Amino acid sequence: QKEVEQNSGPLSVPEGAIASLNCTYSDRGSQSFFWYRQYSGKSPELIMFIYSNGDKEDGRFTAQLNKASQYVSLLIRDSQPSDSATYLCAVPISGGYNKLIFGAGTRLAVHP
Amino acid sequence: DTEVTQTPKHLVMGMTNKKSLKCEQHMGHRAMYWYKQKAKKPPELMFVYSYEKLSINESVPSRFSPECPNSSLLNLHLHALQPEDSALYLCASSQLMITTFGSGTRLTVV
């Protein structure tokens, strides 16, 4: 059974701080990794994806991938109260269809 | 158009009712999905359609019946549901490994 693990939190950070969200996965063959943000009562929204080892930056968000350690993380710089949400790590299962396996999600709370 | 549109947004149905959830996308994506999400849990895949053919059924009970009338539309027909089927039902479509979710239908079975 392929698994994606996340700390469910809540992760509480002060406004302006860096929030660090972590995810590990079991399938060494996984090639792509996605971070979705989900506000309470809403649907998941894709915010970052990464395919290659190293860092990928988009605005205040940085995704980091280490395939040797089977570890992917999301950093949110200058955290804002509007970043308070559940962040879902997702990994596609190979086989020709983009079947996503999600981690349990980490709930982030940014307090003023 | 970069959206996946789902209707209705909310649905309350009795255990003897028959209802349908609808999903539409105009991004030209050839893969479409139904996911189910219970409260405080991640989404779980139910069905995958690829080029309008059912490709994956994750052992979903027959009281859920998917249908893909054409490349833009995806339906989920519901019949004789149980209260434990109450959840957020998410439609999604994908292309080149990028999956886009609709806003979901919040289903309550009474």
Side-chain angles (χ1 to χ4, degrees):
Chain A
Q1 177 74 8
K2 296 180 173 63
E3 294 182 346
V4 178
E5 302 281 346
Q6 291 182 259
N7 187 328
S8 62
L11 173 66
S12 182
V13 301
E15 185 174 357
I18 296 175
S20 178
L21 305 160
N22 304 316
C23 173
T24 59
Y25 58 94
S26 62
D27 183 6
R28 282 198 170 275
S30 297
Q31 296 295 317
S32 54
F33 307 87
F34 298 83
W35 284 99
Y36 284 85
R37 177 177 63 198
Q38 188 171 25
Y39 292 112
S40 181
K42 302 296 185 182
S43 65
E45 172 194 11
L46 181 66
I47 54 171
M48 287 287 287
F49 60 90
I50 187 166
Y51 300 144
S52 302
N53 272 333
D55 295 0
K56 178 183 178 183
E57 187 174 318
D58 184 1
R60 294 187 297 114
F61 298 99
T62 298
Q64 299 176 318
L65 175 60
N66 184 326
K67 289 185 178 180
S69 300
Q70 295 176 244
Y71 176 92
V72 58
S73 64
L74 179 70
L75 301 179
I76 306 175
R77 290 182 300 281
D78 188 23
S79 295
Q80 301 297 310
S82 58
D83 295 324
S84 298
T86 295
Y87 290 80
L88 296 160
C89 175
V91 182
I93 295 296
S94 60
Y97 309 106
N98 200 28
K99 172 182 171 179
L100 293 175
I101 301 299
F102 286 89
T106 298
R107 188 158 59 91
L108 173 66
V110 181
H111 53 88
Chain B
D1 188 351
T2 58
E3 286 189 344
V4 177
T5 302
Q6 288 188 246
T7 57
K9 294 195 182 306
H10 301 275
L11 178 63
V12 179
M13 62 184 291
M15 289 187 283
T16 59
N17 290 161
K18 286 184 180 181
K19 296 287 185 183
S20 296
L21 310 184
K22 297 186 182 300
C23 174
E24 188 169 7
Q25 57 91 11
H26 294 289
M27 295 181 280
H29 293 178
R30 303 316 296 263
M32 296 186 74
Y33 311 77
W34 283 112
Y35 283 81
K36 173 182 178 179
Q37 187 175 23
K38 300 281 282 184
K40 301 190 185 301
K41 297 290 187 183
E44 293 185 343
L45 184 68
M46 300 175 71
F47 303 103
V48 179
Y49 273 83
S50 177
Y51 290 88
E52 302 162 46
K53 293 187 177 180
L54 182 62
S55 302
I56 296 178
N57 176 343
E58 292 287 273
S59 302
V60 179
S62 60
R63 57 186 185 268
F64 296 91
S65 175
E67 177 196 20
C68 188
N70 60 54
S71 61
S72 300
L73 294 174
L74 189 64
N75 299 322
L76 186 62
H77 303 298
L78 314 172
H79 173 55
L81 295 193
Q82 303 298 309
E84 58 264 30
D85 296 320
S86 298
L88 180 67
Y89 288 84
L90 295 162
C91 176
S93 68
S94 73
Q95 180 145 311
L96 299 176
M97 303 299 288
I98 302 297
T99 297
T100 302
F101 286 89
S103 58
T105 294
R106 177 76 59 188
L107 174 67
T108 303
V109 182
V110 298

